[in-house]
Amino acid sequence: MTTATDGLLDAHLTLLAEALLPYRSSEQQLARWGTELAATLAGGGRLLVAGNGGSAAEAQHLTAELVGKLRDDRQPLSAIALHAETSAMTAIGNDYGYDEVFARQVRAHGRENDILLLMSTSGASANLLAAARAGREVGLRCWAFTGPAPNPLAEACHDTLAIASPESQVVQELHLVSTHVLCEYVDRALPAALAVAGTAGPATVERPGAPVRTGVEVVLDGGDRRVEAG
């Protein structure tokens, strides 16, 4: 007995298999991104992620893996899914329009050399394009997960992982694979990145506006202090 749904799974898997062939070439890019992201996070930087609809869910999945963990226990890493700031997002949308819901948050939270990752199956969402422009203005490195390239978001970002499939469901599924593989590479690169970030040590970390002093601080009777050269 057959039903109207017969063949849907096979058709979907066929589209997925077709996209997997070119997707295999993404290995080096994900490895490079993972190493770069690990260095950024280990050095005190932050990852900002945004997307709409299913891509918003993918964005939140990625930040959950970094703030929590993918597999093995490690320190939490700073990553924010911008759409999850619902009160801020709705206030911005109400006051400035929906195209600004991510861009204004990028300007608020982003710092120079942080990383902004934007996820879109179409690569044409106006609010993500505005976020990419804001990211570049602030000095963030802008990456994108998109569907087939060329597309406007790919052109607006510094680097893009584009899935070669016309089917948005397949694109999102391989974005999820990319999320897991990216986090695997972050975890692999993190110990070395933390070692590099820790080589400076607290003695050489300067606070903005604070004088730099070297030597040994001696406390004398009466509370007077003097610094002797080391």
Side-chain angles (χ1 to χ4, degrees), residues 34-43 186 188-199:
T35 300
E36 188 173 345
L37 181 55
T40 297
L41 299 176
V186 169
R188 181 178 295 184
L190 191 60
L194 288 170
V196 170
T199 54

Side-chain angles (χ1 to χ4, degrees), residues 4 8 15 24 36-37 47-48 50-51 55 75 99 102 111 113 115 117 127 137 141 149 162-163 171 186 188 190 210:
L8 287 181
L15 290 171
R24 287 182 178 275
E36 188 173 345
L37 181 55
L47 174 69
L48 304 179
S55 294
Q75 70 179 67
D99 287 358
F102 298 136
R111 300 295 181 266
N113 293 321
I115 295 174
L117 176 56
N127 58 2
E137 291 168 5
R141 287 162 287 168
I163 304 300
V171 172
V186 169
R188 181 178 295 184
L190 191 60

Side-chain angles (χ1 to χ4, degrees), residues 142-155:
C142 300
W143 298 345
F145 281 0
T146 74
N151 61 68
L153 186 59
E155 294 173 2

Side-chain angles (χ1 to χ4, degrees), residues 140-220:
L140 277 64
R141 287 162 287 168
C142 300
W143 298 345
F145 281 0
T146 74
N151 61 68
L153 186 59
E155 294 173 2
C157 291
H158 296 103
D159 205 359
T160 300
L161 192 154
I163 304 300
S165 174
E167 178 56 57
S168 61
Q169 295 174 22
V170 170
V171 172
Q172 289 180 347
E173 287 157 5
L174 291 184
H175 283 176
L176 178 58
V177 174
S178 300
T179 290
H180 286 152
V181 175
L182 177 61
C183 290
E184 290 268 15
Y185 275 115
V186 169
D187 284 357
R188 181 178 295 184
L190 191 60
L194 288 170
V196 170
T199 54
T204 61
V205 175
E206 298 181 14
R207 291 172 295 166
V212 177
R213 300 189 297 177
T214 61
V216 178
E217 186 175 27
V218 180
V219 180
L220 304 176

